[in-house]
Amino acid sequence: MFHGTLVPFAERRKIIMKDSRDFKKEYEAFLKKVPYQTAVVDGVEVRYQYGGKDGAPVILFFNGLEMQEMWMPYAEKLGNNYRFLIYEYPFHTTNADGQIDFAAKLLKTLSIEKVILIGASDGGVYAQIFAKRYPESVLTMILTTTLTVDSDYIRDIQKERFSTPIRLLLLKLVPAKTEMNLLLKKSEGFLECESEENRKYGTGFYETVASDLNYKQRFIHSFKCVYMLNDYPYFQENDFEYLRGKIQVLLPEKDIFKKEDQNRLVDLFRKLDAEILNVPGGHVGFIVQSEYYIDLMEKFLKKNGI
């Protein structure tokens, strides 16, 4: 006879659901539900996904390392109450202002007037640049797993100005499959602070990205774009004054960015009454623990009446 503790059905169902989390399968289902569309902006064809609740405010996602796949869990959940726009960054420009101006033109092409900005990693810097350049278009801004341009991370990029061309040449010479295998190997470090279940889910995320051998071009472009941030002017408090009380900053406990860089981000937005919260996990905690992060975002948006 079994004498162990009985687990209620509802709890057993949760355990089964957690054990069966599979990013690749979830993403394939998402693509069927919200397939890529194309638009032409300034003569450049861009792929995008646009879905969610009709007539609701639009979330504009800015992703890191051009891994737009990362936003799938957010689009799925937040799409119940909001519209969302995920797009592939264009390759024809690498300077930050040019990239953000392109995003604004894409919004105009799609007749989107106002957006909620959500940015992660270097996408969080893009969100800040968009908020600075297009204040008339922004309802609120949520930043996670990111920093601001006043950071050692970006200053260190400046120190690599002589080695960067060589690194770019090497990236171009490395076969796509080899580069993707290196990406998968490196991802292990980003996931080591996560639970076994979350590591498995996170590995599925990286495998999904790496399964597209065209990602090599996206990665090289991202490398160029991040390097171009090295001389971007520091943000000032008055750049975001119009968003006072409408900014949320989520800081992972074990991010790859230094605490000093996190503190500089906090110092900038604390002056603007931002909601600043510590959150669990590392650099991809917002992907593998998305439900926790999404819950905080939803509460913040509701508090602001959005």
Side-chain angles (χ1 to χ4, degrees):
M1 181 176 288
F2 177 72
H3 295 285
T5 302
L6 291 177
V7 181
F9 175 78
E11 292 300 316
R12 281 186 283 130
R13 184 171 182 272
K14 287 181 182 178
I15 292 172
I16 292 170
M17 288 177 68
K18 281 192 173 184
D19 288 344
S20 63
R21 291 172 74 211
D22 186 314
F23 189 95
K24 186 175 182 180
K25 288 182 179 178
E26 291 175 16
Y27 188 70
E28 288 173 349
F30 178 65
L31 281 177
K32 291 179 181 178
K33 183 179 176 182
V34 190
Y36 274 102
Q37 305 178 61
T38 58
V40 177
V41 179
D42 281 352
V44 177
E45 186 174 273
V46 58
R47 294 203 315 160
Y48 68 93
Q49 292 167 288
Y50 190 31
K53 184 178 179 181
D54 289 338
V58 179
I59 296 171
L60 174 60
F61 289 111
F62 285 113
N63 42 271
L65 286 182
E66 307 199 17
M67 296 178 175
Q68 64 270 8
E69 296 89 347
M70 65 175 55
W71 294 122
M72 176 271 294
Y74 290 77
E76 283 278 36
K77 182 72 187 299
L78 294 175
N80 292 325
N81 296 307
Y82 302 93
R83 300 278 297 163
F84 61 82
L85 176 63
I86 303 170
Y87 77 101
E88 287 187 338
Y89 296 164
F91 292 151
H92 72 287
T93 181
T94 54
N95 73 81
D97 285 345
Q99 290 279 57
I100 294 309
D101 289 345
F102 186 90
K105 290 174 183 177
L106 175 60
L107 294 179
K108 187 174 181 180
T109 299
L110 299 177
S111 300
I112 299 172
E113 296 182 358
K114 300 281 187 179
V115 292
I116 299 162
L117 299 177
I118 299 184
S121 196
D122 49 295
V125 180
Y126 277 150
Q128 293 168 67
I129 295 172
F130 188 100
K132 175 182 177 180
R133 291 180 66 80
Y134 293 96
E136 71 283 355
S137 299
V138 182
L139 294 170
T140 187
M141 179 168 63
I142 298 174
L143 306 173
T144 185
T145 320
T146 192
L147 36 69
T148 187
V149 287
D150 178 11
S151 67
D152 291 338
Y153 177 81
I154 292 178
R155 279 186 282 274
D156 288 343
I157 293 174
Q158 178 65 32
K159 297 175 184 177
E160 299 174 359
R161 61 187 181 276
F162 297 116
S163 62
T164 294
I166 298 173
R167 292 179 67 184
L168 280 171
L169 177 60
L170 291 174
L171 283 172
K172 291 176 182 178
L173 292 175
V174 173
K177 195 165 184 178
T178 300
E179 187 171 311
M180 293 307 96
N181 286 334
L182 291 173
L183 170 66
L184 290 174
K185 186 67 177 176
K186 189 172 184 179
S187 71
E188 295 175 4
F190 294 152
L191 294 165
E192 63 183 4
C193 66
E194 305 290 347
S195 68
E196 182 179 352
E197 176 209 334
N198 289 338
R199 287 199 300 272
K200 181 179 178 182
Y201 190 73
T203 299
F205 160 69
Y206 282 107
E207 287 176 346
T208 300
V209 173
S211 65
D212 177 9
L213 295 183
N214 290 324
Y215 177 69
K216 176 181 175 179
Q217 187 178 5
R218 285 157 54 191
F219 179 82
I220 291 174
H221 181 252
S222 174
F223 187 90
K224 294 177 181 177
C225 290
V226 172
Y227 177 76
M228 291 295 286
L229 290 170
N230 62 41
D231 59 356
Y232 202 87
Y234 291 171
F235 298 123
Q236 303 299 320
E237 182 181 342
N238 60 7
D239 291 333
F240 310 105
E241 178 61 41
Y242 74 97
L243 286 176
R244 179 172 292 276
K246 296 183 178 180
I247 301 170
Q248 183 185 57
V249 180
L250 304 178
L251 301 171
E253 295 171 343
K254 298 180 180 179
D255 202 351
I256 60 171
F257 299 133
K258 296 191 299 186
K259 289 297 181 184
E260 291 85 351
D261 284 346
Q262 287 187 331
N263 290 338
R264 291 184 184 103
L265 179 71
V266 168
D267 289 342
L268 173 63
F269 291 114
R270 181 183 285 125
K271 301 171 186 175
L272 296 164
D273 302 326
E275 179 179 272
I276 301 168
L277 302 172
N278 292 318
V279 287
H283 195 64
V284 292
F286 76 101
I287 300 173
V288 300
Q289 302 187 59
S290 60
E291 288 187 5
Y292 183 89
Y293 286 66
I294 290 169
D295 182 59
L296 294 177
M297 292 178 183
E298 286 183 315
K299 289 177 180 176
F300 173 75
L301 292 172
K302 289 177 181 176
K303 184 175 72 175
N304 279 278
I306 300 174

